[in-house]
Amino acid sequence: MPDIRRITQDKLLSDYAPLHRYAFYTSPPLDVSLYESQSVLYDDASILGMYEADEAVATVVSIPMTQNVRGKILSMSGVAGVTSKPTTRRKGYVKQLMQTLFEDMYENDFAVSMLYPFRESFYERLGYTLFTHIKSVTFKTTDMKPLLNMPLSGSVEYLNQADGWNIAKAMLHDSQQNKHGMALFLPEPLQYLYGKDDHWLAVARDDEGAVIGTMAYKITAFWGTFEVSRFFAKNSLGRYLLLQYIAKHVDQVHDVHLKRLPYDTHPETWFSDFSVKGDPEIWLTPMCRVIDVQKLQGIHVGEGDITLEISDPFCEWNNGVYRFSAVDGCLQIEPAQNADCSLTINGLSAIIYGTHDLHDFQWRGWGTLSEININTLSQMFPRANPYLFALF
């Protein structure tokens, strides 16, 4: 009989790495040596495996992270490493592993969960709801020439990303505090992923020396591409200082590629005659899920009061009737008796993250809301454009 086991670090290379390599990389060969150097990414993770005859045939991973959910930093589980041997697919193993993983998340006090789906409908059946798309844009450096003569106060320096890690780290955490949906790894994996010496770091400062923007980038070749993997600006001046810095490469690179911008970023409005080509990178669109309704206490909400009956077939501890009310701008949740309306966990997750039109819920099977319900929920939880940022 197949059984679920926890995969420990000493089994990472033998039981997890081959399946992960087969599922997400070019093969053969199944080179698993890289996983030894990546062990920091799995130190605090929960890795579950489905075993047949003492052989791991499917896996899932829960990575502990933090996420800004409407102004409050919550504990988040990033689900990754969802794999299955081709000979054991369609047996329901991943679904069983996810059920066990939800229980593991609950026991470890995670409030919410995110993942990047191989197929949206599969994870929707498990209670997840789609985010808005991220943006990826390209443009020509020659289009940026008007920026070269723009009089800007402040300065930009560049250094190796590893040398500037403390600056980059501070910007990441500052940005998370102000960006709904933004998630970050715990300290050690965060530095492993974003503090290596494989990128340059441009740092924009105002006249008083305060950091107001950072940008991690690579240059692919002479006459190649200026590839920006992270672009954060605290204000308009920070943004234009970084853009002007890119423009100074006009005689070195032809193209600029800004990756993983928030959906509500509009680079086409930054200056005149700017020809921007967008690539929505649809496959990178993540999905969200509430793991523990009670742990949503304290997120920032608008005025309102509503009682909801929540149904969650995979996290039974969420099933019940709750009164959601605003107290001094923060969400208060308490048990209740008579519900104003009923929602699936998908519907609640969409409301919390602000990703969907509430009028669409009846067609999605997430609940039937009256116009009064919709007005109350819209006031308490306005539509938003959450930005996950983290890749896992």
Side-chain angles (χ1 to χ4, degrees):
M1 289 289 292
D3 64 299
I4 295 174
R5 306 177 196 172
R6 193 172 298 276
I7 298 177
T8 54
Q9 281 280 10
D10 60 314
K11 296 288 187 179
L12 190 68
L13 266 62
S14 61
D15 292 14
Y16 172 74
L19 287 171
H20 188 259
R21 199 75 191 175
Y22 186 91
F24 298 108
Y25 295 89
T26 301
S27 64
L30 289 175
D31 182 7
V32 300
S33 58
L34 181 65
Y35 292 78
E36 291 183 284
S37 63
Q38 293 180 337
S39 61
V40 65
L41 299 177
Y42 300 98
D43 283 344
D44 297 305
S46 293
I47 310 175
L48 300 180
M50 179 69 76
Y51 283 77
E52 283 187 350
D54 215 31
E55 177 191 10
V57 295
T59 66
V60 295
V61 180
S62 170
I63 304 170
M65 306 176 73
T66 60
Q67 184 179 38
N68 180 324
V69 179
R70 293 194 183 269
K72 184 178 180 181
I73 304 301
L74 300 180
S75 58
M76 186 198 98
S77 164
V79 176
V82 179
T83 71
S84 181
K85 286 188 67 173
T87 52
T88 60
R89 291 172 187 170
R90 305 287 174 168
K91 289 187 175 183
Y93 286 172
V94 169
K95 183 178 178 181
Q96 293 176 51
L97 284 170
M98 288 296 297
Q99 175 70 75
T100 303
L101 195 65
F102 288 145
E103 295 165 3
D104 185 85
M105 292 178 196
Y106 180 66
E107 291 171 2
N108 285 282
D109 295 326
F110 287 105
V112 292
S113 175
M114 299 288 308
L115 55 77
Y116 289 93
F118 63 84
R119 188 171 69 251
E120 178 188 350
S121 59
F122 176 84
Y123 289 107
E124 183 181 346
R125 291 192 290 272
L126 294 174
Y128 285 85
T129 302
L130 197 70
F131 258 35
T132 46
H133 292 162
I134 62 171
K135 281 187 177 180
S136 178
V137 298
T138 58
F139 46 88
K140 300 293 184 183
T141 50
T142 50
D143 288 348
M144 306 183 76
K145 285 184 177 180
L147 293 174
L148 293 173
N149 298 319
M150 185 179 290
L152 298 173
S153 60
S155 63
V156 178
E157 66 169 331
Y158 80 99
L159 59 164
N160 186 277
Q161 179 179 240
D163 296 330
W165 171 238
N166 286 335
I167 299 172
K169 178 175 63 175
M171 178 60 76
L172 286 171
H173 284 287
D174 285 350
S175 299
Q176 185 189 40
Q177 291 292 330
N178 297 293
K179 188 60 181 175
H180 170 52
M182 185 170 174
L184 293 176
F185 291 87
L186 298 184
E188 288 190 18
L190 187 71
Q191 181 172 1
Y192 175 84
L193 292 168
Y194 304 126
K196 294 180 181 178
D197 61 0
D198 58 355
H199 280 73
W200 294 111
L201 183 73
V203 181
R205 301 178 186 271
D206 61 21
D207 281 339
E208 297 181 353
V211 175
I212 54 175
T214 61
M215 174 176 65
Y217 69 94
K218 285 183 177 182
I219 295 173
T220 62
F222 184 67
W223 292 135
T225 301
F226 191 102
E227 289 189 347
V228 180
S229 59
R230 301 196 308 277
F231 188 98
F232 291 104
K234 290 187 176 181
N235 53 34
S236 181
L237 175 60
R239 181 190 309 124
Y240 279 92
L241 281 170
L242 293 176
L243 290 173
Q244 187 180 71
Y245 176 78
I246 297 174
K248 291 179 179 179
H249 293 76
V250 65
D251 296 320
Q252 183 180 352
V253 294
H254 283 309
D255 301 300
V256 180
H257 185 192
L258 262 62
K259 301 179 179 179
R260 295 162 52 205
L261 296 173
Y263 183 77
D264 54 357
T265 303
H266 302 289
E268 65 277 5
T269 66
W270 288 344
F271 54 90
S272 300
D273 300 325
F274 192 25
S275 179
V276 176
K277 295 181 179 179
D279 175 5
E281 293 192 2
I282 292 174
W283 75 273
L284 282 176
T285 303
M287 298 182 77
C288 59
R289 192 198 202 283
V290 172
I291 295 298
D292 189 341
V293 172
Q294 296 281 8
K295 286 188 167 53
L296 299 175
Q297 296 264 13
I299 66 173
H300 298 177
V301 294
E303 289 300 313
D305 187 311
I306 192 168
T307 302
L308 304 173
E309 182 177 13
I310 306 301
S311 61
D312 187 341
F314 291 93
C315 300
E316 51 84 21
W317 50 86
N318 287 330
N319 292 320
V321 180
Y322 304 90
R323 181 187 176 206
F324 287 63
S325 57
V327 178
D328 297 326
C330 295
L331 180 63
Q332 180 172 305
I333 303 172
E334 54 192 353
Q337 295 296 322
N338 300 312
D340 297 315
C341 56
S342 299
L343 290 171
T344 66
I345 197 65
N346 308 76
L348 179 65
S349 300
I351 288 169
I352 295 301
Y353 284 96
T355 53
H356 289 69
D357 185 337
L358 273 61
H359 291 90
D360 295 347
F361 280 25
Q362 60 179 319
W363 316 120
R364 300 299 302 267
W366 295 349
T368 302
L369 305 175
S370 70
E371 202 61 36
I372 293 175
N373 300 151
I374 289 173
N375 290 338
T376 300
L377 288 167
S378 296
Q379 183 170 303
M380 294 181 69
F381 306 96
R383 286 290 296 273
N385 287 304
Y387 174 53
L388 179 59
F389 172 69
L391 288 174
F392 47 88

